[in-house]
Amino acid sequence: MQLEFFPSRTLASYIARMFVVRILAVLLMLVLVLQMLDLLSESGKVLAAPGNGQGQLLTYVSLRMPQLISRFLPYSVLLATIITLMTLNQNSEVIAMKAAGLSAHQVLAPLFLVAALTSVVTFGFNERIVTRSTSTLKAWQNVDYGPIPQESAIKTNVWLQDGPNILFARAVTGEDKTMRMAGVSWYRRDPTGMVTEIVTAPSAAYANPGWTFRQPEMFDVQSARKTKSTTDQVFAKSVEPVQVVISKVDADAEPISELTGSIAAIREAGFRTTEIDGKWWHKLSGPLSALLMPLLGAVAAFGLARSGHLFVRAVIGMALGFAYFVFDNAALAMGNFGAYPPFLAAWAPFVLFLLIGETVLIRTEE
């Protein structure tokens, strides 16, 4: 048996090219079909906003497509693995490679290399493109597909507790002491929880402590009297900028570096971060799922094609791959509820199915 992981450069290049072409073909098919279905369900909401037309539909597609690519790329790698290995098996190329002394791992080595590169590309794609498109799309959806907010780090529809009172902001931008609010409302409540006064303003800035409302308008609920102030006033003195971070941390819309800072801020404020910790770890383990797919789909590569069991082997490979995605989502959900530690929730499915795939491959082919 040859000991090199890539015993033939020509063979490795041949299999890798075949694998890459099938990944791209399957991904293109999945994304186009799912994008059309998604656009059919959302086009009515997009066009319902005044002034929206074909341009806004194209904008929606440009923001939604990166999410679909990121989500279904591992599925594409799984399906491409099975298609590639079935093709090699049917053409007796796997038999020829094994007759030349190649082990099962050496046959799969080019697929592992392509899958590893796919994982690296997926991580970079998620950090640089998907997080930004997700942030912009969610901000756009929060304004019912009206004018798209220009601030990339905008947080929308923020509700904050100010003792017995409530502070609401339509949009929040900036960080720490430079934080700004737009479309702010402050609700004064009595001990029974009834609203007695509503203060509104077009914008507010952090005053340390409190928030300076620009020329606020006061409405007294009991007398139904409305008055407008010609000067700026300070309200919500117990609300700190860190509360905005805590209330509106979206792990899907933040790159890992920014999410690390958000987690640190939440911990400093004395709040638990179990759910966000799990998503932080999943930003690393999620892209690596592509690396597992050649191993889980390897069952389709071996065994005689003329025995009639090739289809059954392909189904088993698909079942193993989809079982991983189901278990991964379930483990992440359990981690969010606190049933699993965040690290275990993110990495347990990967390690478990890595062991399962290696066990099946070694016991059946090695």
Side-chain angles (χ1 to χ4, degrees), residues 25 33 37 41 62 88 148 154 237 264 295 299 362 366:
V33 172
L37 294 176
S41 65
S62 68
L88 294 174
I148 302 178
I154 191 171
K237 294 184 177 180
L295 187 62
V299 67
I362 291 174
E366 298 286 20

Side-chain angles (χ1 to χ4, degrees), residues 16-47:
R17 286 199 306 269
M18 181 186 299
F19 190 37
V20 169
V21 170
R22 282 156 177 75
I23 290 176
L24 295 177
V26 173
L27 180 62
L28 180 63
M29 178 191 67
L30 287 177
V31 170
L32 287 180
V33 172
L34 293 170
Q35 181 65 80
M36 287 189 294
L37 294 176
D38 181 71
L39 185 61
L40 285 174
S41 65
E42 288 291 319
S43 58
K45 299 177 183 178
V46 175
L47 296 176

Side-chain angles (χ1 to χ4, degrees), residues 66-256:
Q67 296 179 341
L68 296 176
I69 292 175
S70 175
R71 179 173 300 176
F72 291 97
L73 184 55
Y75 294 93
S76 301
V77 176
L78 172 64
L79 296 177
T81 297
I82 295 174
I83 295 172
T84 301
L85 296 179
M86 287 181 64
T87 303
L88 294 174
N89 196 349
Q90 285 180 323
N91 295 334
S92 300
E93 292 171 285
V94 173
I95 296 176
M97 286 184 280
K98 296 199 72 175
L102 272 66
S103 67
H105 285 88
Q106 288 173 322
V107 173
L108 298 175
L111 278 68
F112 285 128
L113 177 61
V114 173
L117 294 176
T118 302
S119 297
V120 174
V121 171
T122 301
F123 177 78
F125 182 74
N126 290 345
E127 291 296 293
R128 298 294 299 174
I129 298 177
V130 177
T131 53
R132 296 178 182 181
S133 65
T134 299
S135 176
T136 303
L137 181 58
K138 288 186 176 181
W140 194 24
Q141 290 173 334
N142 286 332
V143 295
D144 298 324
Y145 296 107
I148 302 178
Q150 298 299 316
E151 175 62 46
S152 60
I154 191 171
K155 297 177 175 61
T156 57
N157 297 334
V158 180
W159 293 89
L160 300 167
Q161 192 78 27
D162 174 35
N165 309 315
I166 299 294
L167 175 64
F168 170 76
R170 177 67 64 181
V172 181
T173 59
E175 297 180 356
D176 298 329
K177 295 182 180 180
T178 63
M179 190 171 287
R180 297 289 184 272
M181 295 183 175
V184 290
S185 301
W186 183 72
Y187 301 87
R188 187 194 301 275
R189 300 194 299 181
D190 60 21
T192 64
M194 298 294 293
V195 176
T196 60
E197 183 183 14
I198 303 175
V199 181
T200 59
S203 63
Y206 185 54
N208 194 21
W211 297 82
T212 302
F213 282 40
R214 186 169 64 87
Q215 298 182 353
E217 186 176 82
M218 281 76 72
F219 176 76
D220 184 78
V221 175
Q222 185 174 3
S223 62
R225 180 177 301 174
K226 182 183 294 186
T227 58
K228 184 175 180 61
S229 175
T230 57
T231 60
D232 298 343
Q233 297 187 31
V234 177
F235 297 92
K237 294 184 177 180
S238 66
V239 176
E240 299 288 337
V242 68
Q243 293 178 242
V244 179
V245 176
I246 294 171
S247 64
K248 282 293 180 178
V249 172
D250 187 355
D252 296 329
E254 295 185 8
I256 196 168

Side-chain angles (χ1 to χ4, degrees), residues 318-362:
M318 292 180 62
L320 285 174
F322 284 105
Y324 165 77
F325 293 116
V326 172
F327 190 76
D328 183 54
N329 291 331
L332 191 61
M334 295 295 287
N336 294 341
F337 286 117
Y340 295 158
F343 181 84
L344 183 63
W347 287 103
F350 180 85
V351 175
L352 175 63
F353 278 83
L354 176 64
L355 296 176
I356 291 175
E358 279 292 339
T359 301
V360 171
L361 185 62
I362 291 174

Side-chain angles (χ1 to χ4, degrees), residues 50-71:
N52 283 0
Q54 183 177 354
Q56 283 66 36
L57 290 178
L58 295 177
T59 300
Y60 175 80
V61 170
S62 68
L63 295 174
R64 187 73 173 103
M65 188 169 290
Q67 296 179 341
L68 296 176
I69 292 175
S70 175
R71 179 173 300 176

